[in-house]
Amino acid sequence: MKATGGILASEQHTKALSFDADIIREDFPILKQLVYGKPLVYLDNAATSQKPAGVLDAMTHYYSTDNSNIHRGVHILSERATQQYEEARTKVQGFINAAQSKEIIFTRGTTEAINLVANSYGRANVKAGDEVLITAMEHHSNIVPWQILCEEKGARLRVAPINDDGELILEDFAKLLNERTKLVSLVHVSNALGTINPIPGIVEIAHRHNVPVMIDGAQAAPHMKLDVQELDCDFYAFSGHKVYGPTGIGVLYGKASLLDAMPPYQGGGDMISSVTFEKTTYNTLPYKFEAGTPNIAGTIGLGAAIDYVNQIGLERIARYEHELLEYGTEALSQIPGLRLIGTAKDKAAVLSFVLEGVHPHDVGTILDREGIAIRTGHHCAMPVMERFGIPATARASLAFYNTKEEIDALVAGIHKVKEVFG
């Protein structure tokens, strides 16, 4: 993390009585640049978040001081790298309050984590005539792996509907559970709508039918405190790059009893205990699911990102981002011709919208020239767009380093779009 007079900017922040995003922003070098001669306003955090200096420094330190492979070498560099890699696993365990560190599997990201469960647990437990239940607000990454599995096994993919506010209709979800349901997989926070699903109640309903539940937590992990034991979910996945860490690293949490019973997903490297031409004995958890040389620098960077977020505190982050969401919702609602998509009562800091008579791509292009980065398109959630009868939205997604002044800049930019297309 960047030091300011010997004190980290974020450490200064934690000593402050109120949440001060201006102090936090000092830890993020990329936010200080100008774009087209204007201050960068980065509002594309649901796609990926920016990285504090502490994360960048941790990865640079690894490559410049400790670079070596892990778990194999007897030399000091390998020992140091292995120690940092396993310390990151322990940090993730604490971050989501998993019962054991062996329940933390490192993957490339949320997508690979879901594919791991689909290919390992799914192939072993889903048969012809069985059902997998998802919801209508899923990211493609939580649809396609289950489609592939169901096509291969002759199983059926069921989809629980959502209402006009973008909320899961719990009554209909419960009705879709039956003796053929072998797994429920759903998103914690919708990337396209911002909807926060009531996971504890959903897990309770599914468990009444003895159905395990997988949670796509990619959009939840950066914004709320997680406790997988309290949620009682069976699997939970999230990506490092959305939690202010590097790309190419993610996490699958699974209950040890389930992971122990699952066959390996990929072969080679750390997942092996012994090999002959007749038989291979697999390693224990968590290594059984970590084939090949892992993303060591990325894992260490993720550990640094978790340290950073913990230092600020996810409860404080959630409160501040909720303030931003309320401010942004009110401000955007005042713009004639603007329609917010996703108006759930329980929402994360996502402002998805369409502007009458203007394609979202044009909105994004004009805002870009104002120095404002948002996301436009279907957000890898084409069924969600279809549900609302639109091809795409413009999406501003917020993080704890964003400010009300930046939302004001977004509003001014949207008025400029209206002038251009007026």
Side-chain angles (χ1 to χ4, degrees):
M1 295 176 187
K2 182 174 182 179
T4 305
I7 301 174
L8 299 175
S10 50
E11 287 177 346
Q12 286 183 318
H13 161 75
T14 57
K15 294 174 182 174
L17 293 176
S18 60
F19 197 100
D20 192 335
D22 289 333
I23 294 177
I24 285 177
R25 292 172 70 87
E26 290 297 313
D27 289 331
F28 292 82
I30 199 170
L31 298 178
K32 298 173 183 176
Q33 67 180 291
L34 299 179
V35 176
Y36 304 117
K38 297 172 182 173
L40 170 65
V41 176
Y42 186 79
L43 302 175
D44 195 17
N45 297 286
T48 195
S49 60
Q50 300 302 342
K51 319 308 173 194
V55 170
L56 306 177
D57 291 347
M59 296 177 71
T60 299
H61 181 270
Y62 163 72
Y63 276 126
S64 58
T65 309
D66 301 324
N67 179 47
S68 58
N69 215 326
I70 57 170
H71 296 152
R72 299 178 182 87
V74 295
H75 53 80
I76 187 64
L77 267 63
S78 179
E79 289 181 5
R80 291 203 301 250
T82 299
Q83 181 179 350
Q84 292 173 72
Y85 183 85
E86 293 302 333
E87 283 176 354
R89 196 187 307 277
T90 304
K91 290 175 183 177
V92 172
Q93 177 195 355
F95 185 63
I96 62 173
N97 194 32
Q100 307 172 69
S101 62
K102 69 179 183 179
E103 295 177 318
I104 305 302
I105 312 295
F106 288 124
T107 65
R108 286 185 298 155
T110 303
T111 298
E112 186 176 61
I114 295 171
N115 275 274
L116 191 163
V117 175
N119 280 277
S120 177
Y121 181 88
R123 282 183 168 171
N125 292 281
V126 176
K127 312 296 182 192
D130 288 341
E131 297 179 355
V132 174
L133 178 57
I134 61 174
T135 81
M137 69 177 84
E138 302 305 322
H139 187 283
H140 295 165
S141 296
N142 200 31
I143 300 173
V144 179
W146 308 114
Q147 283 179 330
I148 294 172
L149 175 69
C150 288
E151 287 175 9
E152 177 185 312
K153 295 293 186 178
R156 184 182 182 191
L157 185 65
R158 306 297 301 272
V159 182
I162 58 177
N163 62 24
D164 291 341
D165 290 320
E167 298 167 321
L168 180 64
I169 304 174
L170 275 176
E171 186 177 284
D172 290 351
F173 169 83
K175 288 177 181 174
L176 288 170
L177 286 162
N178 58 63
E179 68 280 0
R180 295 183 297 278
T181 312
K182 297 304 176 190
L183 187 80
V184 167
S185 188
L186 81 162
V187 71
H188 196 163
V189 174
S190 164
N191 72 310
L193 306 170
T195 305
I196 301 175
N197 276 319
I199 297 300
I202 289 170
V203 171
E204 184 182 354
I205 294 170
H207 282 181
R208 273 188 232 141
H209 294 263
N210 295 316
V211 176
V213 180
M214 164 139 209
I215 307 298
D216 169 358
Q219 298 295 336
H223 304 296
M224 62 180 68
K225 191 168 179 58
L226 298 175
D227 186 332
V228 291
Q229 294 187 75
E230 189 173 285
L231 293 174
D232 199 24
C233 57
D234 300 280
F235 301 102
Y236 197 101
F238 69 92
S239 298
H241 71 99
K242 298 189 195 287
V243 197
Y244 311 99
T247 55
I249 183 68
V251 171
L252 170 68
Y253 156 80
K255 289 179 177 174
S257 58
L258 290 171
L259 293 173
D260 268 326
M262 289 161 52
Y265 168 47
Q266 297 173 324
D270 262 353
M271 58 80 65
I272 292 163
S273 179
S274 66
V275 176
T276 67
F277 285 118
E278 290 72 33
K279 182 177 175 58
T280 295
T281 303
Y282 304 128
N283 207 341
T284 57
L285 293 176
Y287 311 111
K288 184 172 74 170
F289 294 107
E290 294 181 359
T293 297
N295 182 354
I296 303 167
T299 306
I300 293 169
L302 173 60
I306 288 174
D307 285 342
Y308 184 84
V309 170
N310 284 340
Q311 183 181 322
I312 297 172
L314 272 161
E315 293 93 343
R316 300 177 73 209
I317 289 171
R319 281 197 298 273
Y320 175 71
E321 290 181 349
H322 188 70
E323 282 181 28
L324 286 181
L325 176 65
E326 288 188 329
Y327 184 83
T329 300
E330 174 65 21
L332 265 62
S333 298
Q334 302 303 315
I335 300 175
L338 186 146
R339 173 190 169 204
L340 287 168
I341 305 296
T343 51
K345 293 182 185 67
D346 200 5
K347 256 190 86 171
V350 171
L351 294 162
S352 204
F353 62 92
V354 291
L355 198 58
E356 187 177 5
V358 187
H359 193 282
H361 288 175
D362 292 326
V363 174
T365 300
I366 293 174
L367 289 178
D368 175 56
R369 300 299 295 191
E370 297 299 309
I372 302 167
I374 65 164
R375 179 55 60 99
T376 62
H378 52 64
H379 315 299
C380 295
M382 293 172 80
V384 174
M385 301 298 113
E386 185 178 359
R387 166 63 180 79
F388 286 92
I390 51 178
T393 73
R395 182 189 68 187
S397 50
L398 312 173
F400 58 74
Y401 44 61
N402 289 130
T403 65
K404 291 179 180 177
E405 289 75 18
E406 290 183 314
I407 293 174
D408 292 341
L410 171 66
V411 171
I414 295 172
H415 280 295
K416 187 154 190 173
V417 173
K418 287 173 64 69
E419 289 174 16
V420 171
F421 284 86

